[in-house]
Amino acid sequence: MKFIKLTIVLCLFSLISCAQSKNNIPKSYIAYKTSENIIIDGAATETSWNKVEWSDTFIDIEGLNEPTYKTHVKMMWDETYFYILAKLEEPHVWAVITEHDAIIFHNNDFEVFIDPDGDTFNYYELEVNALNTVWDLFITKPYREKNAVLNDWTLTGLKSAIKVDGTINNPTDKDKGWTLELAIPWKAYKTSYFEKNVPENKHWRVNFSRVNWDFQLENGKYQRKKDADGKLLPEYNWVWSPQGVINMHEPEKWGYVYFSSKEVGSKDTFTIPQDDSIKEQLYSLYKAQNSYHQKYKKWATSIDSLTAKAIVINHKTLQPTIENHATGYNISVKSPFTSKTLIIKENGKIISN
């Protein structure tokens, strides 16, 4: 009987693990080009928006549970802007923060994460609440490394607008939700004056997060809900592309947005590059190296010390190697798909040669 119970438990664990793995595959979305003049007013009445499909409905950040309220986005672009339309179902639309660059996620909010070159370094975060208050910041590298967060960086030229389907900050009625419309200028992400960074027929790593809080009323005003001991209840994190962990700052897990040169209403295709599957394995080795260093106070010098299994992608066996040096290591592997050499460093940055 104990063996039967153990077998059932193992089977259930296997099913859950497979489901979680499947759910955590990065999402992808094709953003088509528009030639129409887009007015950022939150109404999204332009013909182009009507021709653009909604994304998959958001899921919780770990990729396991369905959120209480629905969220989805649309995207498109032109030579000047990256356009984003977010629709958030919410029966109680509320917000109180009005100061630019305040900690917006202390309200319910919508968040945009963008890594243009996909190396997990030098990425951008944008948060907006239902009062259209903005927090924009630049992050040099993920929080797992010693990073710098530039809170005084400003997304110059950003256009944003909110449309509430209901009445904001009114607890006596029920709302349907709110819509956020964004126009993010490409030039805000330039790394040099002459850089041409409009990603036509290219992809960027992107993700979206919605922070939602349980609330309580005090003197008829919304507040984040507290438990019996007066501690804030944890927020909900609902995302477009699941992270697998409660951490948005793992950019290697973000989704893919492909900026097609085809006009809205057309059809195009996009496939995640096979080399990105190699990058995923390199990140696994990077995490294994961190665990090894934490345990032994030194870096491993062989791949066998980090994994006992062969690394196989699409029936191709990878042959990664480690090169240790005075300040860390490089783990490199030659791609069987593109012949490029991919390298991950001790700080988690990936270089492609």
Side-chain angles (χ1 to χ4, degrees), residues 177-225:
W178 54 290
T179 300
L180 167 64
E181 189 174 16
L182 297 168
I184 301 176
W186 301 117
K187 65 181 181 181
Y189 298 145
K190 279 190 172 186
T191 57
S192 64
Y193 183 81
F194 293 103
E195 181 187 11
K196 295 180 179 179
N197 70 328
V198 180
E200 183 171 5
N201 295 322
K202 297 178 181 178
H203 70 268
W204 282 7
R205 300 302 298 271
V206 176
N207 211 349
F208 304 103
S209 172
R210 174 183 176 180
V211 171
N212 220 75
W213 298 86
D214 287 324
F215 69 87
Q216 63 188 28
L217 295 175
E218 186 170 318
N219 297 323
K221 295 183 178 180
Y222 290 101
Q223 291 187 348
R224 291 179 289 169
K225 192 171 184 178

Side-chain angles (χ1 to χ4, degrees), residues 87-112:
K87 188 173 183 180
L88 298 81
E89 181 182 83
E90 174 60 69
H92 290 275
V93 180
W94 67 276
V96 296
I97 298 174
T98 58
E99 181 184 356
H100 179 260
D101 279 349
I103 303 176
I104 301 299
F105 66 79
H106 286 173
N107 285 174
N108 295 340
D109 77 353
F110 185 83
E111 305 177 356
V112 182

Side-chain angles (χ1 to χ4, degrees), residues 44 50 55 155 162 309 333 336:
N50 292 329
S55 70
L155 211 173
I162 301 289
K309 298 180 180 179
V333 62

Side-chain angles (χ1 to χ4, degrees), residues 85-303:
L85 183 70
K87 188 173 183 180
L88 298 81
E89 181 182 83
E90 174 60 69
H92 290 275
V93 180
W94 67 276
V96 296
I97 298 174
T98 58
E99 181 184 356
H100 179 260
D101 279 349
I103 303 176
I104 301 299
F105 66 79
H106 286 173
N107 285 174
N108 295 340
D109 77 353
F110 185 83
E111 305 177 356
V112 182
F113 297 83
I114 293 177
D115 181 9
D117 60 8
D119 68 352
T120 76
F121 277 47
N122 301 323
Y123 61 90
Y124 307 85
E125 181 177 353
L126 170 67
E127 301 186 10
V128 187
N129 69 6
L131 288 173
N132 201 21
T133 307
V134 169
W135 184 16
D136 42 16
L137 56 160
F138 174 85
I139 302 166
T140 59
K141 48 189 172 181
Y143 287 91
R144 62 192 172 217
E145 299 289 339
K146 293 181 179 179
N147 66 356
V149 178
L150 304 183
N151 194 49
D152 57 352
W153 176 81
T154 298
L155 211 173
T156 303
L158 171 70
K159 296 181 181 181
S160 62
I162 301 289
K163 187 175 180 61
V164 176
D165 192 351
T167 53
I168 191 169
N169 291 331
N170 182 2
T172 66
D173 65 1
K174 289 288 184 72
D175 310 309
K176 289 187 177 180
W178 54 290
T179 300
L180 167 64
E181 189 174 16
L182 297 168
I184 301 176
W186 301 117
K187 65 181 181 181
Y189 298 145
K190 279 190 172 186
T191 57
S192 64
Y193 183 81
F194 293 103
E195 181 187 11
K196 295 180 179 179
N197 70 328
V198 180
E200 183 171 5
N201 295 322
K202 297 178 181 178
H203 70 268
W204 282 7
R205 300 302 298 271
V206 176
N207 211 349
F208 304 103
S209 172
R210 174 183 176 180
V211 171
N212 220 75
W213 298 86
D214 287 324
F215 69 87
Q216 63 188 28
L217 295 175
E218 186 170 318
N219 297 323
K221 295 183 178 180
Y222 290 101
Q223 291 187 348
R224 291 179 289 169
K225 192 171 184 178
K226 299 178 180 179
D227 63 18
D229 297 323
K231 295 182 179 179
L232 289 171
L233 295 178
E235 76 278 14
Y236 301 99
N237 296 275
W238 304 327
V239 304
W240 169 51
S241 191
Q243 295 286 108
V245 293
I246 305 176
N247 183 2
M248 286 302 297
H249 294 274
E250 294 192 359
E252 69 274 13
K253 297 178 180 178
W254 295 350
Y256 295 78
V257 177
Y258 177 75
F259 299 93
S260 172
S261 60
K262 293 185 177 181
E263 190 75 12
V264 291
S266 303
K267 290 293 181 183
D268 205 346
T269 58
F270 169 73
T271 302
I272 295 175
Q274 292 188 93
D275 277 6
D276 278 32
S277 295
I278 299 176
K279 292 179 182 180
E280 183 180 346
Q281 295 301 320
L282 286 175
Y283 281 115
S284 294
L285 293 173
Y286 154 79
K287 291 177 181 178
Q289 267 283 42
N290 285 343
S291 297
Y292 186 95
H293 190 274
Q294 187 174 9
K295 182 176 182 180
Y296 298 106
K297 310 305 178 185
K298 62 180 181 179
W299 298 117
T301 57
S302 69
I303 297 297

Side-chain angles (χ1 to χ4, degrees), residues 6-137:
L6 178 60
T7 302
I8 292 172
V9 169
L10 290 174
C11 288
L12 288 172
F13 178 79
S14 178
L15 288 170
I16 291 170
S17 299
C18 289
Q20 183 172 358
S21 176
K22 182 178 180 181
N23 286 340
N24 291 338
I25 295 173
K27 299 282 187 180
S28 61
Y29 184 97
I30 298 177
Y32 293 95
K33 190 174 184 181
T34 178
S35 57
E36 188 176 7
N37 182 36
I38 305 300
I39 305 300
I40 304 302
D41 56 6
T45 55
E46 290 85 1
T47 302
S48 292
W49 279 128
N50 292 329
K51 292 181 178 180
V52 175
E53 294 182 358
W54 288 108
S55 70
D56 292 339
T57 303
F58 283 27
I59 194 168
D60 90 286
I61 192 169
E62 294 178 284
L64 298 175
N65 301 313
E66 293 295 328
T68 307
Y69 308 121
K70 291 182 179 179
T71 314
H72 44 214
V73 296
K74 290 184 177 185
M75 291 170 265
M76 58 185 183
W77 68 282
D78 61 21
E79 294 294 335
T80 307
Y81 294 105
F82 176 19
Y83 298 104
I84 299 168
L85 183 70
K87 188 173 183 180
L88 298 81
E89 181 182 83
E90 174 60 69
H92 290 275
V93 180
W94 67 276
V96 296
I97 298 174
T98 58
E99 181 184 356
H100 179 260
D101 279 349
I103 303 176
I104 301 299
F105 66 79
H106 286 173
N107 285 174
N108 295 340
D109 77 353
F110 185 83
E111 305 177 356
V112 182
F113 297 83
I114 293 177
D115 181 9
D117 60 8
D119 68 352
T120 76
F121 277 47
N122 301 323
Y123 61 90
Y124 307 85
E125 181 177 353
L126 170 67
E127 301 186 10
V128 187
N129 69 6
L131 288 173
N132 201 21
T133 307
V134 169
W135 184 16
D136 42 16
L137 56 160

